[in-house]
Amino acid sequence: MEPLKKSARTGKEKQQKIFQAPKGMHDILGQDALLFDDLRSVAGAFADSYGYQYIELPVLEDRELFVRSVGVGTDIVDKEMYVVRTQGGDALALRPEFTAGIVRAYIQNGMQNLPQPVKAWTFGPAFRHDNPQAGRYRQFWQADFEFFGADHPIADAEVIQFAVKLSEGFGIPDVCVYINTIGCAECRGQYRKALKAYYRSKSRKLCSDCKRRLKTNPLRLLDCKNETCVMIRKNAPETLEYLCKDCSDHFRKVLGFLDDAKIGYFLDPYLVRGLDYYNRTVFELKSGNQRRQESAETDGFEQNAPAREPLSFGGGGRYDYLMKLLGGQDTPAVGFALGVDRMVDLAREERAKAFKTGPNVYLVQIGDAARMQALRLIEELRTHGIAARFDLSRDSLKAQLRNADREQSAYALIIGQKEVLDNAVILRDMQTGIQESVLMHKLLETLAARLKQKHKTR
Ligand code: AMP
């Protein structure tokens, strides 16, 4: 229920609504905001070195784009899309994921005419009207990477290696790859038949969604999180038994390359991912820390994998049919998305160590003339790469020095009336309390030397 607060002003019955962020959506503040930004920079640096170019996409796309790519029968399309009607009557959807949008952009912008392969990445919020819970939001952030124009299994391995290295580079502990193959259009037909036959015999026990999936999209039965359906899944046929020779060779080579690159993985025979556009290799990333926490309840799904599977922080796979399905030229593709919110949660402790910023200075002013001087000085310090903290609206020396203390500033630069007249600044070492008067034209030089010294002794 929405909290209501009595208006403080009137004190009468009139009640004032306290606005909250929409359910499942959250503000990103303080250190988390820094970590989001940090992940974006780490992703950008890795993207550069693996040859991905950054692109920015609209938050809204034609609803039909997701229906056609992600697929009818998936949770995303059936239950989770935020659809808006424009005044002109168009149905647009807040993007629930990025791949379809990037493929649309590739086709629309003639990227097939660029030298292939083309690698693109993007970063931003996605929206799914899911049941909010720990690590599951209705607005969440993804870093998304797509690699177009390479059908060789080395591309799958390269993408997985990239995903693992980026995650490790950000500080995710013990990154684990869960991998499977879901075959091609041909062998998947056989597999779908076998799945249908298996699940039909259990249909009475299935949840209502799965009863529907059995008719519309049997592969999605394997995604169901309902407890009974998860139990039933344990004896379901596995994709590996139904692969054609080409798909089997492809998968074997992907695993071979991963072995060579010393990227560890778990074979997960029921990993199919909740989106329809994938073929052949699919994978998810989890953190070993989560895995160990949960593996106390292991039920033997795989020798060393957990019973209640922890949430993945990333996932992807190959999608060779999507470009054509969306009206482009036949173009093989492979890619993945990382969940930024979950990665920040997993790496918070490790990454926070990187935020021990260098020493800063606090600007203290007393009186209007000093205020003017301070305003000029802020800009001068900034252009010389010195971070200054300040509150120009204050007059009290004591209050400003208290702030400098709270900010853990190395030095306070104090400007009073005398300093304005002398064109000087008082430089106060916040640790020792020692003060000295420095002429303004000597300040940058003196400060740079002192800060350098502080850096060394930290
Ligand atoms: P997907 O697009 O479903 O393959 O998801 C890729 C990654 O995005 C997941 O591994 C999660 O880290 C993240 N993700 C997906 N859905 C959500 C959500 N509702 N809330 C938070 N993160 C999510």
Side-chain angles (χ1 to χ4, degrees):
M1 216 172 64
E2 285 162 355
L4 292 167
K5 199 178 94 179
K6 274 199 173 160
S7 162
R9 239 179 329 119
T10 63
K12 293 186 184 154
E13 307 81 52
K14 198 177 157 205
Q15 307 235 292
Q16 215 176 49
K17 180 173 175 174
I18 305 294
F19 289 103
Q20 305 270 306
K23 188 173 169 192
M25 303 192 180
H26 60 128
D27 303 309
I28 299 153
L29 310 166
Q31 198 182 58
D32 276 4
L34 292 174
L35 284 164
F36 262 63
D37 214 29
D38 187 34
L39 178 48
R40 192 188 175 119
S41 311
V42 172
F46 273 83
D48 266 356
S49 51
Y50 274 76
Y52 287 77
Q53 54 171 299
Y54 186 76
I55 61 173
E56 191 68 61
L57 300 169
V59 173
L60 289 163
E61 295 275 1
D62 191 322
R63 173 184 175 273
E64 190 58 28
L65 177 73
F66 301 112
V67 174
R68 229 195 281 174
S69 56
V70 176
V72 174
T74 60
D75 280 351
I76 293 179
V77 165
D78 288 1
K79 303 186 209 164
E80 296 172 1
M81 277 209 291
Y82 284 88
V83 178
V84 289
R85 284 253 163 224
T86 65
Q87 298 209 349
D90 295 335
L92 302 180
L94 278 167
R95 59 187 179 203
E97 59 101 51
F98 287 85
T99 305
I102 297 193
V103 171
R104 195 262 315 131
Y106 180 97
I107 299 167
Q108 184 177 341
N109 296 288
M111 287 161 92
Q112 66 275 9
N113 300 321
L114 297 173
Q116 303 290 310
V118 166
K119 296 175 179 178
W121 82 284
T122 191
F123 186 101
F127 304 83
R128 292 183 195 170
H129 194 268
D130 203 346
N131 272 335
Q133 50 188 282
R136 197 177 290 285
Y137 306 106
R138 290 183 173 173
Q139 176 174 345
F140 56 97
W141 268 254
Q142 286 189 337
D144 187 272
F145 303 83
E146 310 295 348
F147 179 171
F148 299 107
D151 59 2
H152 197 280
I154 191 74
D156 310 35
E158 181 198 304
V159 159
I160 294 171
Q161 168 172 299
F162 175 47
V164 169
K165 296 295 171 196
L166 196 171
S167 309
E168 287 174 349
F170 184 63
I172 304 290
D174 207 359
V175 176
C176 305
V177 179
Y178 284 59
I179 193 167
N180 191 25
T181 174
I182 53 175
C184 61
E186 262 123 69
C187 51
R188 207 185 307 165
Q190 294 299 317
Y191 179 57
R192 206 180 275 124
K193 257 191 214 157
L195 259 190
K196 244 181 154 163
Y198 171 78
Y199 275 103
R200 214 178 276 128
S201 66
K202 322 262 180 235
S203 66
R204 278 188 31 231
K205 293 185 195 151
L206 294 174
C207 72
S208 55
D209 279 343
C210 279
K211 284 190 176 124
R212 186 174 38 80
R213 289 174 180 135
L214 187 54
K215 290 189 191 124
T216 58
N217 196 342
L219 213 62
R220 300 278 72 90
L221 287 155
L222 300 173
D223 295 327
C224 187
K225 295 167 196 102
N226 173 290
E227 248 174 66
T228 313
C229 300
V230 170
M231 291 298 287
I232 294 174
R233 190 180 70 179
K234 282 183 184 141
N235 295 316
E238 298 179 7
T239 47
L240 288 171
E241 298 160 22
Y242 294 85
L243 293 181
C244 64
K245 185 173 177 318
D246 284 351
C247 286
S248 174
D249 284 352
H250 185 98
F251 194 47
R252 208 165 324 113
K253 284 184 184 153
V254 174
L255 299 185
F257 288 126
L258 291 177
D259 289 336
D260 283 351
K262 304 213 169 1
I263 304 284
Y265 52 83
F266 294 102
L267 279 177
D268 179 345
Y270 299 119
L271 179 68
V272 286
R273 316 260 302 117
L275 307 101
D276 269 0
Y277 48 66
Y278 289 115
N279 66 297
R280 292 194 167 162
T281 314
V282 285
F283 67 95
E284 287 192 352
L285 303 173
K286 298 182 185 182
S287 165
N289 271 6
Q290 293 171 289
R291 227 165 44 75
R292 268 192 294 278
Q293 277 163 21
E294 313 250 347
S295 62
E297 302 157 50
T298 296
D299 69 350
F301 135 77
E302 265 283 308
Q303 238 180 358
N304 30 12
R308 191 157 49 84
E309 290 163 51
L311 293 173
S312 66
F313 67 81
R318 178 163 279 288
Y319 53 96
D320 296 330
Y321 308 125
L322 185 58
M323 192 70 76
K324 199 155 179 208
L325 187 73
L326 295 181
Q329 287 172 10
D330 223 354
T331 310
V334 55
F336 68 99
L338 296 173
V340 175
D341 311 74
R342 291 185 194 170
M343 286 181 76
V344 162
D345 265 349
L346 287 166
R348 188 173 279 112
E349 249 175 69
E350 188 55 33
R351 204 66 201 160
K353 291 179 199 155
F355 286 129
K356 291 220 161 34
T357 48
N360 67 70
V361 299
Y362 201 98
L363 218 55
V364 175
Q365 81 292 323
I366 307 148
D368 275 347
R371 223 174 242 121
M372 302 263 291
Q373 190 82 297
L375 204 55
R376 270 197 297 274
L377 190 53
I378 292 163
E379 258 314 284
E380 201 166 343
L381 291 170
R382 186 192 63 77
T383 53
H384 288 82
I386 298 172
R389 313 278 154 90
F390 49 86
D391 179 355
L392 296 184
S393 63
R394 283 194 192 272
D395 270 325
S396 148
L397 173 68
K398 204 166 147 199
Q400 293 180 74
L401 285 178
R402 201 181 315 123
N403 278 355
D405 225 22
R406 283 201 194 116
E407 295 271 3
Q408 299 183 327
S409 304
Y411 290 98
L413 303 179
I414 305 168
I415 312 177
Q417 275 181 4
K418 182 169 182 311
E419 284 66 40
V420 175
L421 290 175
D422 295 350
N423 210 13
V425 177
I426 295 176
L427 186 62
R428 177 188 172 97
D429 185 320
M430 290 299 293
Q431 220 170 13
T432 62
I434 296 173
Q435 297 192 166
E436 60 184 308
S437 179
V438 181
L439 286 174
M440 198 57 104
H441 73 274
K442 290 266 185 200
L443 178 66
L444 283 171
E445 189 189 324
T446 314
L447 196 54
R450 300 285 156 78
L451 288 171
K452 201 168 162 196
Q453 190 61 30
K454 284 261 180 214
H455 233 314
K456 270 195 211 149
T457 53
R458 263 152 69 88

